[in-house]
Amino acid sequence: MKFHLAINLERMTPDVDIRDVRDHTLEMVKMADEAGFEIVWAAEHHALEMTIAPNPFQILTWWGEHAKNIRLGVGVVNAAYWHPINLAGEAAFLDLTSEGRLEFGIGSGAYQREFDRMKPGLDQRDSWRYMQEMLPVVKELWKGDYEHNGEFWHFPKATSCPKPLQDDVPIWVAARAPITFDYAVEHGCNIMSWPLTMPMSEAESYRGRLDDAIAKHGPFKGQWAMMRHTAVYESEEDRQRALAAIRVQLAMFGNLMTKTGEVRNGFPDTVNAEELEGNFRVDPVMLEENLMFGTPETVIEKLKLYEAIGVDSFIYYASMGMDMDQQKESLKLFIDKVMPAYA
């Protein structure tokens, strides 16, 4: 099993200095790079302090200048917010400056609140249509001159400037719904899945959707990565701190997903735990069982469950509201005591 890192510039309260967040994020990326993580992922989000990521290409270019080996993953760009020519050029420029380390991830977005501001009138549930039109257009622009007359974009002959250094840029799609698994298998894309806070059975259901897509569209030639919030700890104090942090973060996340609270100056209100159900529940026993939480030994055993259903890579999601020192200690424990089991 290979390992990836997903991390945001995460500012949970106004009293945290954004420069400290900046420096911490880079330190975590450099730790992952030195430890042999394969990919680091940067998201795209807008007007939210808990995920400061207005342009993933800018973030990854910065990281790539300081971390020289790790590959640079866009995880993921929201197709509906971009024009194909702009997106193709931004992605190719990152591939150029990083000497061919781009991993291009594209998806359909998450928060209706963002769509209401970035693409007013578009229902998040319909945004997959933009992704499925966008991806083949970007690939054509990387090849050379191309004219497009589609449902969402129209433009005369143009090309991406620059072109990627890689002849075949790895493409990733974020997949949870059957329609996206079908698309990924049919078009030879890698897949990243995130079961949120749901139990292992949710990940197993994704395996079933992948198998169904393979049965319909032929062999799956890509990689399948699974992301989970991760906290590795050895003391009861650190365990309690991690569980408290994720509950606060999820209460904000639940606000964004369900639109049940306000966002004030970029900071989402926390939603009462009693109002959260399904993917957004914050019961600590459930969270510790379902997420990649535990001692190094427990985490190794949990990883074996994902390996058993065919997951190729585990994405260590570091951004979960923990203080910066504990984030670094958790990643260090993962590097020192978990990764050797997969050497």
Side-chain angles (χ1 to χ4, degrees):
M1 180 177 282
K2 297 179 180 178
F3 298 105
H4 305 174
L5 175 69
I7 188 166
N8 302 319
L9 278 79
E10 180 184 60
R11 189 164 174 254
M12 301 298 290
T13 59
D15 60 304
V16 175
D17 191 323
I18 186 59
R19 292 168 295 187
D20 292 337
V21 174
R22 174 199 65 194
D23 296 345
H24 163 73
T25 306
L26 183 57
E27 287 175 23
M28 293 280 283
V29 173
K30 290 167 74 173
M31 286 174 65
D33 184 41
E34 292 166 5
F37 277 59
E38 182 186 30
I39 302 172
V40 61
W41 296 98
E44 177 184 7
H45 287 292
H46 300 278
L48 294 169
E49 291 279 357
M50 63 188 289
T51 48
I52 300 169
N55 187 323
F57 302 106
Q58 188 177 32
I59 295 170
L60 292 164
T61 299
W62 165 50
W63 288 347
E65 286 297 305
H66 297 276
K68 297 298 186 180
N69 299 301
I70 199 165
R71 294 185 62 79
L72 306 170
V74 183
V76 294
V77 68
N78 188 328
Y81 300 165
W82 292 77
H83 187 283
I85 296 173
N86 180 218
L87 182 56
E90 289 263 13
F93 190 80
L94 171 59
D95 201 53
L96 172 65
T97 59
S98 66
E99 294 293 335
R101 286 187 281 159
L102 170 66
E103 301 275 331
F104 183 75
I106 189 167
S108 304
Y111 310 140
Q112 185 61 47
R113 180 183 188 277
E114 280 190 335
F115 281 90
D116 292 345
R117 289 152 179 79
M118 299 296 294
K119 195 74 174 179
L122 176 61
D123 190 319
Q124 187 274 333
R125 293 169 294 183
D126 296 328
S127 64
W128 61 270
R129 296 163 56 212
Y130 286 77
M131 186 273 285
Q132 292 193 6
E133 182 176 333
M134 173 72 85
L135 182 53
V137 175
V138 167
K139 293 169 75 173
E140 288 297 326
L141 289 166
W142 283 342
K143 293 177 185 176
D145 280 335
Y146 172 74
E147 178 181 344
H148 185 70
N149 292 289
E151 181 179 2
F152 303 116
W153 296 284
H154 307 266
F155 55 85
K157 186 170 65 176
T159 189
S160 172
C161 294
K163 305 290 190 301
L165 288 186
Q166 297 178 89
D167 293 332
D168 189 12
V169 174
I171 305 294
W172 293 77
V173 297
R176 296 178 64 220
I179 190 172
T180 316
F181 280 96
D182 287 344
Y183 182 88
V185 174
E186 183 179 4
H187 293 87
C189 302
N190 302 299
I191 296 170
M192 59 173 70
S193 296
W194 182 22
L196 302 173
T197 64
M198 298 298 279
M200 185 66 196
S201 59
E202 180 76 359
E204 292 168 343
S205 74
Y206 296 162
R207 176 73 245 186
R209 293 168 197 174
L210 177 56
D211 289 340
D212 289 344
I214 291 170
K216 286 188 283 187
H217 302 290
F220 176 51
K221 300 177 182 178
Q223 296 184 54
W224 184 29
M226 190 74 68
M227 183 166 75
R228 282 287 202 183
H229 285 101
T230 303
V232 188
Y233 39 75
E234 293 184 305
S235 72
E236 179 61 21
E237 179 184 0
D238 285 344
R239 172 178 174 268
Q240 293 296 338
R241 289 166 64 199
L243 287 168
I246 189 66
R247 294 185 79 208
V248 171
Q249 202 250 19
L250 287 172
M252 293 182 176
F253 180 70
N255 171 348
L256 296 173
M257 293 296 285
T258 63
K259 298 178 69 175
T260 53
E262 295 294 327
V263 177
R264 307 171 197 278
N265 201 29
F267 295 98
D269 290 345
T270 56
V271 180
N272 290 333
E274 292 75 17
E275 299 178 38
L276 299 174
E277 299 177 352
N279 292 346
F280 318 113
R281 290 174 298 157
V282 294
D283 174 68
V285 174
M286 177 274 294
L287 291 173
E288 189 167 35
E289 179 180 349
N290 295 353
L291 304 181
M292 196 57 68
F293 277 33
T295 64
E297 295 76 20
T298 299
V299 168
I300 289 170
E301 291 303 311
K302 287 183 177 181
L303 286 170
K304 289 179 181 177
L305 300 176
Y306 294 98
E307 193 173 34
I309 63 171
V311 171
D312 300 298
S313 302
F314 175 72
I315 305 177
Y316 179 121
Y317 192 8
S319 297
M320 46 165 284
M322 283 197 305
D323 69 66
M324 289 178 265
D325 287 340
Q326 191 177 6
Q327 283 189 39
K328 284 195 279 282
E329 181 59 29
S330 172
L331 182 58
K332 186 175 187 303
L333 284 170
F334 188 89
I335 291 167
D336 293 345
K337 298 191 176 184
V338 176
M339 289 178 66
Y342 292 87

